[in-house]
mmCIF file of all heavy atoms in Angstrom:
data_model
loop_
_atom_site.group_PDB
_atom_site.id
_atom_site.type_symbol
_atom_site.label_atom_id
_atom_site.label_comp_id
_atom_site.label_asym_id
_atom_site.label_seq_id
_atom_site.Cartn_x
_atom_site.Cartn_y
_atom_site.Cartn_z
ATOM 1 N N ILE W 319 -12.286 -20.760 7.133
ATOM 2 C CA ILE W 319 -10.841 -20.546 6.864
ATOM 3 C C ILE W 319 -10.561 -19.001 7.026
ATOM 4 O O ILE W 319 -11.047 -18.195 6.360
ATOM 5 C CB ILE W 319 -10.343 -21.025 5.516
ATOM 6 C CG1 ILE W 319 -10.703 -22.546 5.380
ATOM 7 C CG2 ILE W 319 -8.935 -20.847 5.114
ATOM 8 C CD1 ILE W 319 -10.333 -23.083 4.040
ATOM 9 N N VAL W 320 -9.551 -18.723 7.970
ATOM 10 C CA VAL W 320 -9.184 -17.484 8.215
ATOM 11 C C VAL W 320 -7.635 -17.199 7.638
ATOM 12 O O VAL W 320 -6.875 -17.926 7.966
ATOM 13 C CB VAL W 320 -9.179 -17.087 9.692
ATOM 14 C CG1 VAL W 320 -8.820 -15.636 9.798
ATOM 15 C CG2 VAL W 320 -10.660 -17.283 10.134
ATOM 16 N N LEU W 321 -7.442 -16.306 6.772
ATOM 17 C CA LEU W 321 -6.130 -16.045 6.133
ATOM 18 C C LEU W 321 -5.547 -14.746 6.661
ATOM 19 O O LEU W 321 -6.475 -13.760 6.801
ATOM 20 C CB LEU W 321 -6.097 -16.158 4.676
ATOM 21 C CG LEU W 321 -6.611 -17.284 3.912
ATOM 22 C CD1 LEU W 321 -6.671 -17.173 2.373
ATOM 23 C CD2 LEU W 321 -5.738 -18.526 4.357
ATOM 24 N N ALA W 322 -4.374 -14.754 6.971
ATOM 25 C CA ALA W 322 -3.798 -13.477 7.503
ATOM 26 C C ALA W 322 -2.514 -13.091 6.465
ATOM 27 O O ALA W 322 -1.783 -14.078 6.102
ATOM 28 C CB ALA W 322 -3.150 -13.489 8.852
ATOM 29 N N VAL W 323 -2.297 -11.972 6.125
ATOM 30 C CA VAL W 323 -1.329 -11.489 5.274
ATOM 31 C C VAL W 323 -0.669 -10.348 5.887
ATOM 32 O O VAL W 323 -1.175 -9.459 6.480
ATOM 33 C CB VAL W 323 -1.889 -11.065 3.791
ATOM 34 C CG1 VAL W 323 -2.927 -9.914 3.997
ATOM 35 C CG2 VAL W 323 -0.783 -10.677 2.918
ATOM 36 N N ASP W 324 0.735 -10.455 5.755
ATOM 37 C CA ASP W 324 1.530 -9.361 6.346
ATOM 38 C C ASP W 324 2.839 -9.384 5.630
ATOM 39 O O ASP W 324 3.342 -10.295 4.917
ATOM 40 C CB ASP W 324 1.703 -9.517 7.794
ATOM 41 C CG ASP W 324 2.084 -8.113 8.549
ATOM 42 O OD1 ASP W 324 2.299 -7.308 7.801
ATOM 43 O OD2 ASP W 324 2.177 -8.228 9.718
ATOM 44 N N VAL W 325 3.700 -8.287 5.744
ATOM 45 C CA VAL W 325 4.961 -8.026 5.155
ATOM 46 C C VAL W 325 5.972 -8.090 6.325
ATOM 47 O O VAL W 325 5.889 -7.380 7.263
ATOM 48 C CB VAL W 325 5.071 -6.698 4.482
ATOM 49 C CG1 VAL W 325 6.439 -6.520 3.803
ATOM 50 C CG2 VAL W 325 3.985 -6.798 3.186
ATOM 51 N N THR W 326 7.031 -8.917 6.125
ATOM 52 C CA THR W 326 8.121 -8.891 7.000
ATOM 53 C C THR W 326 9.371 -8.778 6.151
ATOM 54 O O THR W 326 9.435 -9.019 4.976
ATOM 55 C CB THR W 326 8.165 -10.358 7.804
ATOM 56 O OG1 THR W 326 9.376 -10.333 8.652
ATOM 57 C CG2 THR W 326 8.450 -11.446 6.909
ATOM 58 N N CYS W 327 10.460 -8.279 6.856
ATOM 59 C CA CYS W 327 11.551 -7.946 6.072
ATOM 60 C C CYS W 327 12.905 -8.762 6.447
ATOM 61 O O CYS W 327 13.062 -9.111 7.588
ATOM 62 C CB CYS W 327 12.056 -6.312 6.380
ATOM 63 S SG CYS W 327 10.661 -5.254 5.967
ATOM 64 N N TRP W 328 13.607 -8.972 5.453
ATOM 65 C CA TRP W 328 14.907 -9.543 5.611
ATOM 66 C C TRP W 328 15.948 -8.548 5.295
ATOM 67 O O TRP W 328 16.389 -8.200 4.270
ATOM 68 C CB TRP W 328 15.178 -10.749 4.533
ATOM 69 C CG TRP W 328 16.460 -11.522 4.648
ATOM 70 C CD1 TRP W 328 17.526 -11.178 5.300
ATOM 71 C CD2 TRP W 328 16.678 -12.843 4.127
ATOM 72 N NE1 TRP W 328 18.448 -12.164 5.152
ATOM 73 C CE2 TRP W 328 18.024 -13.111 4.453
ATOM 74 C CE3 TRP W 328 15.915 -13.698 3.345
ATOM 75 C CZ2 TRP W 328 18.569 -14.295 4.036
ATOM 76 C CZ3 TRP W 328 16.480 -14.974 2.925
ATOM 77 C CH2 TRP W 328 17.805 -15.201 3.230
ATOM 78 N N LEU W 329 16.431 -7.935 6.461
ATOM 79 C CA LEU W 329 17.392 -6.789 6.507
ATOM 80 C C LEU W 329 18.745 -7.191 5.951
ATOM 81 O O LEU W 329 19.347 -8.118 6.494
ATOM 82 C CB LEU W 329 17.369 -6.219 7.927
ATOM 83 C CG LEU W 329 16.048 -5.822 8.491
ATOM 84 C CD1 LEU W 329 16.225 -5.039 9.817
ATOM 85 C CD2 LEU W 329 15.279 -4.695 7.550
ATOM 86 N N ARG W 330 19.112 -6.333 5.025
ATOM 87 C CA ARG W 330 20.549 -6.552 4.411
ATOM 88 C C ARG W 330 21.200 -5.158 4.440
ATOM 89 O O ARG W 330 21.380 -4.573 3.211
ATOM 90 C CB ARG W 330 20.509 -7.332 3.146
ATOM 91 C CG ARG W 330 19.909 -8.655 3.156
ATOM 92 C CD ARG W 330 20.730 -9.670 4.071
ATOM 93 N NE ARG W 330 22.129 -9.678 3.785
ATOM 94 C CZ ARG W 330 22.755 -10.166 2.837
ATOM 95 N NH1 ARG W 330 22.083 -11.045 2.071
ATOM 96 N NH2 ARG W 330 24.033 -10.229 2.833
ATOM 97 N N PRO W 331 21.478 -4.450 5.437
ATOM 98 C CA PRO W 331 21.968 -3.062 5.398
ATOM 99 C C PRO W 331 23.369 -3.013 4.699
ATOM 100 O O PRO W 331 23.617 -1.970 4.130
ATOM 101 C CB PRO W 331 22.019 -2.563 6.823
ATOM 102 C CG PRO W 331 22.141 -3.902 7.662
ATOM 103 C CD PRO W 331 21.374 -4.900 6.728
ATOM 104 N N GLU W 332 24.152 -3.980 4.867
ATOM 105 C CA GLU W 332 25.619 -3.849 4.398
ATOM 106 C C GLU W 332 25.794 -4.681 3.179
ATOM 107 O O GLU W 332 26.931 -4.930 2.752
ATOM 108 C CB GLU W 332 26.475 -4.180 5.508
ATOM 109 C CG GLU W 332 26.459 -3.265 6.642
ATOM 110 C CD GLU W 332 27.492 -3.708 7.878
ATOM 111 O OE1 GLU W 332 28.121 -4.682 7.560
ATOM 112 O OE2 GLU W 332 27.548 -2.981 8.734
ATOM 113 N N ALA W 333 24.801 -5.276 2.584
ATOM 114 C CA ALA W 333 24.938 -6.182 1.311
ATOM 115 C C ALA W 333 24.917 -5.278 0.067
ATOM 116 O O ALA W 333 23.925 -5.230 -0.625
ATOM 117 C CB ALA W 333 23.866 -7.222 1.308
ATOM 118 N N HIS W 334 26.054 -4.564 -0.239
ATOM 119 C CA HIS W 334 26.154 -3.594 -1.355
ATOM 120 C C HIS W 334 26.060 -4.385 -2.630
ATOM 121 O O HIS W 334 25.792 -3.586 -3.645
ATOM 122 C CB HIS W 334 27.142 -2.784 -1.151
ATOM 123 C CG HIS W 334 27.380 -1.995 0.059
ATOM 124 N ND1 HIS W 334 26.470 -0.836 0.265
ATOM 125 C CD2 HIS W 334 28.173 -2.031 1.238
ATOM 126 C CE1 HIS W 334 26.761 -0.387 1.598
ATOM 127 N NE2 HIS W 334 27.718 -1.225 2.175
ATOM 128 N N THR W 335 26.418 -5.659 -2.636
ATOM 129 C CA THR W 335 26.433 -6.436 -3.932
ATOM 130 C C THR W 335 25.291 -7.191 -4.193
ATOM 131 O O THR W 335 25.122 -7.936 -5.165
ATOM 132 C CB THR W 335 27.703 -7.274 -3.938
ATOM 133 O OG1 THR W 335 27.640 -8.304 -2.738
ATOM 134 C CG2 THR W 335 29.015 -6.528 -3.780
ATOM 135 N N SER W 336 24.194 -6.952 -3.437
ATOM 136 C CA SER W 336 22.965 -7.800 -3.456
ATOM 137 C C SER W 336 21.954 -6.950 -4.169
ATOM 138 O O SER W 336 21.544 -5.862 -3.649
ATOM 139 C CB SER W 336 22.392 -8.335 -2.107
ATOM 140 O OG SER W 336 23.260 -9.102 -1.485
ATOM 141 N N PRO W 337 21.435 -7.321 -5.343
ATOM 142 C CA PRO W 337 20.468 -6.489 -6.032
ATOM 143 C C PRO W 337 19.074 -6.774 -5.397
ATOM 144 O O PRO W 337 18.859 -7.495 -4.655
ATOM 145 C CB PRO W 337 20.405 -7.028 -7.456
ATOM 146 C CG PRO W 337 20.832 -8.477 -7.242
ATOM 147 C CD PRO W 337 21.884 -8.607 -6.039
ATOM 148 N N GLY W 338 18.151 -5.823 -5.840
ATOM 149 C CA GLY W 338 16.675 -5.802 -5.326
ATOM 150 C C GLY W 338 16.539 -5.426 -3.915
ATOM 151 O O GLY W 338 15.426 -5.665 -3.475
ATOM 152 N N ARG W 339 17.448 -4.726 -3.199
ATOM 153 C CA ARG W 339 17.178 -4.232 -1.887
ATOM 154 C C ARG W 339 16.364 -3.062 -1.907
ATOM 155 O O ARG W 339 16.358 -2.165 -2.818
ATOM 156 C CB ARG W 339 18.406 -3.932 -1.167
ATOM 157 C CG ARG W 339 19.276 -5.224 -0.868
ATOM 158 C CD ARG W 339 20.504 -4.758 -0.004
ATOM 159 N NE ARG W 339 21.231 -3.766 -0.673
ATOM 160 C CZ ARG W 339 22.066 -2.882 -0.071
ATOM 161 N NH1 ARG W 339 22.205 -3.020 1.287
ATOM 162 N NH2 ARG W 339 22.731 -1.910 -0.664
ATOM 163 N N MET W 340 15.441 -2.904 -0.802
ATOM 164 C CA MET W 340 14.473 -1.692 -0.737
ATOM 165 C C MET W 340 14.601 -1.210 0.659
ATOM 166 O O MET W 340 15.284 -1.946 1.583
ATOM 167 C CB MET W 340 13.102 -2.053 -1.018
ATOM 168 C CG MET W 340 12.803 -2.634 -2.426
ATOM 169 S SD MET W 340 11.253 -3.342 -2.671
ATOM 170 C CE MET W 340 10.187 -1.852 -2.234
ATOM 171 N N MET W 341 14.089 -0.018 0.919
ATOM 172 C CA MET W 341 14.157 0.478 2.254
ATOM 173 C C MET W 341 12.977 -0.044 2.910
ATOM 174 O O MET W 341 11.760 0.181 2.633
ATOM 175 C CB MET W 341 13.945 2.034 2.191
ATOM 176 C CG MET W 341 15.150 2.724 1.511
ATOM 177 S SD MET W 341 16.700 2.476 2.342
ATOM 178 C CE MET W 341 16.440 3.219 4.000
ATOM 179 N N CYS W 342 13.233 -0.816 4.074
ATOM 180 C CA CYS W 342 12.204 -1.569 4.727
ATOM 181 C C CYS W 342 11.856 -0.808 6.085
ATOM 182 O O CYS W 342 12.782 -0.249 6.665
ATOM 183 C CB CYS W 342 12.728 -3.024 5.165
ATOM 184 S SG CYS W 342 13.232 -3.956 3.657
ATOM 185 N N HIS W 343 10.666 -0.801 6.415
ATOM 186 C CA HIS W 343 10.138 -0.082 7.596
ATOM 187 C C HIS W 343 10.451 -1.030 8.839
ATOM 188 O O HIS W 343 10.238 -2.151 8.892
ATOM 189 C CB HIS W 343 8.632 0.033 7.520
ATOM 190 C CG HIS W 343 8.038 0.655 8.689
ATOM 191 N ND1 HIS W 343 8.141 2.033 9.118
ATOM 192 C CD2 HIS W 343 7.461 0.057 9.714
ATOM 193 C CE1 HIS W 343 7.444 2.287 10.288
ATOM 194 N NE2 HIS W 343 7.032 1.157 10.666
ATOM 195 N N THR W 344 11.228 -0.340 9.737
ATOM 196 C CA THR W 344 11.611 -1.027 10.948
ATOM 197 C C THR W 344 11.161 -0.132 12.173
ATOM 198 O O THR W 344 11.020 1.079 11.998
ATOM 199 C CB THR W 344 13.090 -1.426 11.194
ATOM 200 O OG1 THR W 344 13.798 -0.140 11.016
ATOM 201 C CG2 THR W 344 13.428 -2.275 9.970
ATOM 202 N N TYR W 345 11.029 -0.689 13.302
ATOM 203 C CA TYR W 345 10.644 0.034 14.557
ATOM 204 C C TYR W 345 11.569 -0.514 15.680
ATOM 205 O O TYR W 345 11.868 -1.570 15.855
ATOM 206 C CB TYR W 345 9.238 -0.211 14.935
ATOM 207 C CG TYR W 345 8.755 0.484 16.256
ATOM 208 C CD1 TYR W 345 8.602 1.885 16.213
ATOM 209 C CD2 TYR W 345 8.621 -0.151 17.312
ATOM 210 C CE1 TYR W 345 8.238 2.600 17.368
ATOM 211 C CE2 TYR W 345 8.281 0.510 18.597
ATOM 212 C CZ TYR W 345 8.031 1.874 18.546
ATOM 213 O OH TYR W 345 7.657 2.534 19.611
#
Side-chain angles (χ1 to χ4, degrees):
I319 298 177
V320 182
L321 303 179
V323 58
D324 203 355
V325 175
T326 184
C327 301
W328 185 339
L329 301 181
R330 300 300 309 277
E332 299 179 357
H334 303 288
T335 59
S336 297
R339 293 186 304 158
M340 301 170 56
M341 296 301 295
C342 302
H343 174 80
T344 61
Y345 178 76

